[in-house]
Each structure stands twice: as C-alpha cells, then as structure tokens.
Amino acid sequence: MVAGSLIFFTSPDFFIEQAILKSPEGQGYEHFYSFGGTALRNSTLLLSPLDSGYIFMFLSLHFLSIYIQEKEYKWHLLACIVLAISTITRSAILGLIAGSIFYFWISLDFNRRFVFIIVLSFLAAILGTIYYQKIYYILIKDGSASIHIENLVDSLKALASRPWGYGLGYSGWAGISHNDKALYSEGFFFMTLIEHGVLFLLFYLFIFVVLFNYSKKYLLPIYIGFIVASLMIPIGLSTVFNCAFFTYFGLLLRTHNAHYSQNTAILIINWNNAADTIECLTSLAEHNYHKTQKTVIIDNDSADNSLAEITEFITATYGMPVTLNCTGIEEINTRDLQAHEQNFFIIKSRKNLGFAGANNLGILLAQKLAGIEYVWLLNNDTAIEKNALEYLIDDARANPSAGFVGSVLVDYYDRSLVQCCGAVLHPALGVTKLYFKNKPVETLNQVEPAKIDYQSGASLLVKMSAIEQIGMMEPDFFMYFEESDWQIRGRKQGIQNMLSLKSIIYHKGSVSTSNRKHFFYYFYNRASMLFVQRNYVLLLLPALLSLSFITIIKNIRAVQNIKYGFKGIVHGIIKKSIV
C-alpha cells in the first residue's frame, strides 16, 4: 500500500493509464486519478483516497468514543477534518486548507471566531461565484459524489427486489446487473447485505446487543463507527484488511484508556480551607481526572463557609455534585448512587473525624460505587504533575503484592526539592523521618526503595482488594501515624507498599497545623504513643522517654508546645478518644 502510494506520488500517469485500461467503458480517466490532466485530486501525501478514508474512519470513531475523556480532543477532531475533506474531495490540498482554517479558528477567542466566520463566509461566497464551474467539477463530477449516490440508491433497489440475497460474489462490477448496468455496491455493509440478504442484519444486531451489554463504553463506539464507515467505504480485500487493522488498533487504544478510566475514587478532605481544595480540584481537572475518575470531597465539619464555596465551584464548573450529609453512609442506597452520572460527590460530616475517619467515609462510599478498583488519598494542599495517577496505577498493576503505592512529594514552593519519598520508622524513638527530604529532584534516581518503611498519605493509592483484606484506617489516630499503622498492618498480611518514582505531587505540607504549632505536638505525640502500643508495645517506654526529650529540646522557649506535647503523650498512652 505504501509502495503503491509512493509510485503514484512520483508517477501518477502510471495509475491513470491502469485506471483507463481496467475500468469499464474507459471511465477511469474522468473518475479515478485525474483532474484536468493533473494529480491535484489525489495529492494525498503518500496516501490513496481509500487509505485516507480508512484512517479517517479510525480517527473519527476514536475521537467520538473518547473525546469526553481526552483533554486534547481538538487534535483528534483536526485530524478527522483534514482526512474527511481529503477523502471526500480526493485532494490533500483541500484537506490541508480546511485543516489550517480549523486550526486557526480554534486558536481564537469567541468574539474573534465570530468575526472570522463572517470573513470566511464572505470569501467563500466570492470564490464560489468566481470558480463555480471548477468547484463543481472537483466536488461533484470528478469528486464522484453523484456516482456514490447512484451506487447507494442502486444497492437499496437491489435489496428491495431480492431481500434474501444474491449469493457470494454478486456485489461488484463483475456481479449482478441492475437497471441495465453493472452494480457496484456502495460499501462493505451493503456488500454483505446484497450477498447474504437482509437476514444478515440479525448478525449485526446480535453483535450490537452483545457489545451494548458487555462493553458499552469502549468497544460499542468502535463497532458503530465501523458500521457507519462501511456504509461509504468501497468494498475490496484491501478495505476488509484496513478496516480490521484500524478497528483492532482502535480497540487497543480504548483498552489502554479503559486501563485507567473510572476505576479510581479520589478522596480529598476539606477542613476550613476552600482555597486549597479548589486549587487541588483545578489541578486534577487540568489532567482530565474530573472526567475519567470519581472525586469525593469529605468536609470535616468545617466552621467557615468553605463547603459552600467548594460546592458552588463544582456546580458552576462541572455540574451539581451528589451531596451526602452524614457521619456514616451505611444507610445510603446503592441503587441511588448508581443512578447518578455525576463524577463528584461531597460528604458533609457532622463532626470532625480527623484524617483517618474522614478518608474512611470516602472509602465506604467508594465501596458502593461500581467498578472502583482503587482509592487515591490526596491532600487538598497539593497540585498534580502530568500522569501522576496513571503511574500509580501502572505500578500497582505491575506489582500484585503491592496494596499501597505512594507518590514522590515535591515541595510546592520550591519545585527543585523533594519533600519526601515515603518515610522511615523509628519506633524506639517514637518518631518517623521523611526519606529523601530536601534532596534535588534530579537525584531521584538515587532513591533506595528498600529503606522506605511506609508511603505518605498525602498521595497514596490503595487497592480496594487490600482494604477488603485488612480493613480501613484506625480512626482513633485522628491525625498522624494512621497511614503508617495501616501499611504495617498490611505488611503483616503480606500486602506491601511501594514508591512510584514517576508519580510526582507538589505538596504544601502541614496546612492544618501550620499556624497552631502546639496542636501539632499534641496530635503527633498522641498518635505516636498509639502507634507504638499497637505495633511495638515492647518499645513503649523508650519511645515515651525519647519523645518527651525531643519535645522539650525542640521547644525550649515555647512552653505551650511542651505542655500540649506532654498532654498528647498522656492521652496516647491512656488511649483517650478524640472523635
């Protein structure tokens, strides 16, 4: 095919001669590869018109099936327009002109587009008046539109006269005659109907029903696109081959998209911080996750107006979210959830449940949504690097034993520095240490995964299957150590955690306690004691002494911090509940 296109591009006369010799009644010179003795009509950039048609078919159905999910859909549309015009007019020159006009049009704002359309229409009217005869010759006569319409009408008449079919091989120029001329059935679809009869429609219908029931989102659009394209693409062995190839290629692409599509619930906690939450949602939308995944915002009983601001933002930008008011969602009807097409859910907790409790609410909701394989715990004070979620999912799929996959956290304000690549536990000291903290981003290739004990909860992908096995996070932690306890529990049952080096998240860090340092020491020390008791009970005494010493040393001149730090240690030991 490529070789033939190259020969034609360099020596079109060869093809013109062959067309004259092979076509009936010498009509090939006017109908096949010519226009006024030139190769204008078929200057299709090394692609014959039919090949352009195959590619157009593939890109069209690919675009139609994924344009909602693909941010760059306009480039698919641009390619479709170029190839459509090239196929219809048999001229790549006209296709490229149309593509250039469309490319220029999408780069303009709304007002300028309106002016551009008026100017373009005016120019088209002038050129159409001046060059009417030539345009008619290119698009109608030499463009063979009338011939294709005649073929289509004849095919329908043939079906009406003999709906049970004419038999195999009776669908081309050498087959049946109709209205005193040879019938050239228009398209692969009509070829099968003419040969096998309208009962063959049952076969097409059967495939449609199967795909509708089992692959409505992915394979059905491709099948419909194939049928629509086969209505107009002429028959022949090359047609069958190309249609099969591009359909298979399209299937592979849709499978690739399905690999990530609608299988993850993104959990974001908000507490009195609408600005960061909206910025995080905007960052997700920039990478199209607002369309391809479910997003669950859990409001931890905010005292300000942040929940209303977030709801207003989502409604104005993406549509009305599904809002749930509760501290537990077991009473939610699963059927009601499935009926919602919206990808955004807001859970309004009636009390502050902390990091663990709020995420548990999101997990409970995710368990009620069909098709969710992962939950992605994501802090609201983050911004997303391209393909951050895709890399997490790739690593999760490639490592069946990994139930937890964490991202590389990069400093939001200085994006040349790593904030952490997970953390290292020091249970005897009652503390953890961020791994690879403040290292240059370009040195990430030096990370040693074996040194990492657990992944940060600021961006943590968790398999639903792992949650089913080990349960959700321990809500008593409220804040800090909950993700480390979760992953230690998983490790005891053979579920590992791992770092995804390609998944990059920009993290501000410690927003909840940034202006209340004494709260940090209280919650951190309390959670530390709970964690050691649950997982390293024999190290409780050294951890208590070490944590007390560290709290004093770091806060020599901050008495309030020391006071709250010791209070946290005591409450952790006696397991005093916060929620």
Side-chain angles (χ1 to χ4, degrees), residues 321-355:
V322 180
T323 303
L324 311 167
N325 296 282
C326 48
T327 53
I329 62 172
E330 293 83 352
E331 71 276 10
I332 294 175
N333 191 303
T334 304
R335 184 182 302 173
D336 292 341
L337 284 177
Q338 301 303 341
H340 288 288
E341 295 295 332
Q342 176 61 271
N343 284 344
F344 285 87
F345 297 82
I346 294 178
I347 299 177
K348 173 65 173 74
S349 177
R350 298 191 186 101
K351 58 182 177 180
N352 191 339
L353 301 176
F355 180 83

Side-chain angles (χ1 to χ4, degrees), residues 9 19 48 120 147 164 257 274 323 543 555-556:
F9 191 72
S48 75
L120 188 64
I147 295 175
W164 54 89
N257 288 330
T323 303
N555 298 281
I556 292 294

Side-chain angles (χ1 to χ4, degrees), residues 53-67 76 80 217-230 243 246-251 253-254:
Y54 307 144
I55 299 173
F56 165 61
M57 172 199 73
F58 160 67
L59 289 177
S60 297
L61 61 93
H62 180 60
F63 161 70
L64 289 172
S65 61
I66 71 170
Y67 78 101
H76 294 272
C80 288
K217 279 187 177 181
Y218 309 123
L219 299 185
L220 183 62
I222 292 177
Y223 178 69
I224 294 174
F226 174 79
I227 294 298
V228 172
S230 69
C243 286
F246 283 114
T247 302
Y248 177 68
F249 187 43
L251 190 154
L253 283 179
R254 294 304 300 128

Side-chain angles (χ1 to χ4, degrees), residues 308-477:
E309 293 178 32
I310 294 166
T311 304
E312 182 181 356
F313 169 78
I314 293 174
T315 302
T317 311
Y318 312 115
M320 180 67 71
V322 180
T323 303
L324 311 167
N325 296 282
C326 48
T327 53
I329 62 172
E330 293 83 352
E331 71 276 10
I332 294 175
N333 191 303
T334 304
R335 184 182 302 173
D336 292 341
L337 284 177
Q338 301 303 341
H340 288 288
E341 295 295 332
Q342 176 61 271
N343 284 344
F344 285 87
F345 297 82
I346 294 178
I347 299 177
K348 173 65 173 74
S349 177
R350 298 191 186 101
K351 58 182 177 180
N352 191 339
L353 301 176
F355 180 83
N359 274 310
N360 285 347
L361 279 183
I363 293 170
L364 282 169
L365 174 59
Q367 289 175 333
K368 292 178 179 290
L369 298 174
I372 300 298
E373 300 178 50
Y374 309 94
V375 289
W376 185 19
L377 280 58
L378 186 66
N379 276 19
N380 68 333
D381 59 335
T382 57
I384 316 302
E385 183 57 84
K386 184 177 181 181
N387 293 327
L389 176 58
E390 285 81 353
Y391 289 133
L392 290 172
I393 293 175
D394 284 343
D395 285 333
R397 289 188 182 277
N399 298 273
S401 64
F404 304 89
V405 185
S407 301
V408 174
L409 301 185
V410 174
D411 190 281
Y412 180 90
Y413 301 102
D414 184 354
R415 301 191 176 188
S416 66
L417 295 178
V418 174
Q419 194 178 83
C420 77
C421 294
V424 180
L425 289 169
H426 297 285
L429 303 178
V431 297
T432 63
K433 182 180 179 181
L434 298 179
Y435 177 67
F436 224 69
K437 182 179 180 180
N438 293 332
K439 300 286 187 179
V441 170
E442 57 267 22
T443 64
L444 279 171
N445 60 335
Q446 299 175 17
V447 168
E448 300 179 52
K451 293 184 177 181
I452 303 171
D453 290 320
Y454 70 93
Q455 306 300 324
S456 171
S459 174
L460 182 65
L461 187 79
V462 188
K463 292 179 180 177
M464 295 297 284
S465 58
I467 296 174
E468 292 173 3
Q469 182 175 340
I470 65 175
M472 290 181 282
M473 281 188 280
E474 175 53 56
D476 284 346
F477 282 102

Side-chain angles (χ1 to χ4, degrees), residues 127-161:
L127 292 174
T129 303
I130 298 175
Y131 298 103
Y132 170 77
Q133 292 296 333
K134 291 187 177 180
I135 292 174
Y136 172 80
Y137 192 84
I138 294 175
L139 297 182
I140 305 300
K141 187 176 181 181
D142 195 58
S144 64
S146 59
I147 295 175
H148 288 291
I149 292 173
E150 288 178 12
N151 287 337
L152 179 60
V153 172
D154 287 343
S155 296
L156 291 173
K157 289 180 179 179
L159 280 172
S161 63

Side-chain angles (χ1 to χ4, degrees), residues 6-213:
L6 284 169
I7 294 171
F8 170 74
F9 191 72
T10 55
S11 181
D13 290 340
F14 171 79
F15 280 87
I16 293 172
E17 292 171 1
Q18 294 301 310
I20 294 172
L21 291 174
K22 293 182 179 180
S23 62
E25 300 177 2
Q27 67 174 5
Y29 187 77
E30 293 184 358
H31 171 58
F32 194 51
Y33 281 115
S34 67
F35 171 60
T38 71
L40 168 67
R41 168 180 150 185
N42 295 291
S43 301
T44 49
L45 299 182
L46 309 187
L47 290 171
S48 75
L50 293 188
D51 296 330
S52 299
Y54 307 144
I55 299 173
F56 165 61
M57 172 199 73
F58 160 67
L59 289 177
S60 297
L61 61 93
H62 180 60
F63 161 70
L64 289 172
S65 61
I66 71 170
Y67 78 101
I68 293 177
Q69 299 178 17
E70 289 286 341
K71 184 179 179 182
E72 296 81 9
Y73 74 90
K74 61 185 178 183
W75 305 116
H76 294 272
L77 183 58
L78 175 62
C80 288
I81 288 175
V82 173
L83 289 168
I85 300 300
S86 298
T87 303
I88 294 170
T89 65
R90 307 299 202 269
S91 173
I93 295 176
L94 295 178
L96 292 174
I97 291 174
S100 300
I101 291 172
F102 177 76
Y103 177 79
F104 182 71
W105 184 76
I106 61 177
S107 66
L108 300 175
D109 57 31
F110 179 80
N111 293 328
R112 291 183 177 179
R113 285 181 182 179
F114 183 72
V115 174
F116 179 69
I117 291 174
I118 293 176
V119 173
L120 188 64
S121 301
F122 181 71
L123 291 175
I126 295 176
L127 292 174
T129 303
I130 298 175
Y131 298 103
Y132 170 77
Q133 292 296 333
K134 291 187 177 180
I135 292 174
Y136 172 80
Y137 192 84
I138 294 175
L139 297 182
I140 305 300
K141 187 176 181 181
D142 195 58
S144 64
S146 59
I147 295 175
H148 288 291
I149 292 173
E150 288 178 12
N151 287 337
L152 179 60
V153 172
D154 287 343
S155 296
L156 291 173
K157 289 180 179 179
L159 280 172
S161 63
R162 192 166 181 172
W164 54 89
Y166 287 84
L168 188 64
Y170 283 88
S171 61
W173 280 329
I176 63 171
S177 295
H178 192 77
N179 292 344
D180 299 323
K181 63 179 180 180
L183 172 65
Y184 179 70
S185 58
E186 186 67 19
F188 183 78
F189 181 80
F190 283 108
M191 179 195 79
T192 56
L193 294 185
I194 288 172
E195 293 185 349
H196 304 288
V198 293
L199 288 178
F200 204 73
L201 284 172
L202 294 176
F203 175 72
Y204 288 107
L205 182 62
F206 172 75
I207 297 177
F208 179 88
V209 171
V210 170
L211 295 181
F212 183 86
N213 290 327

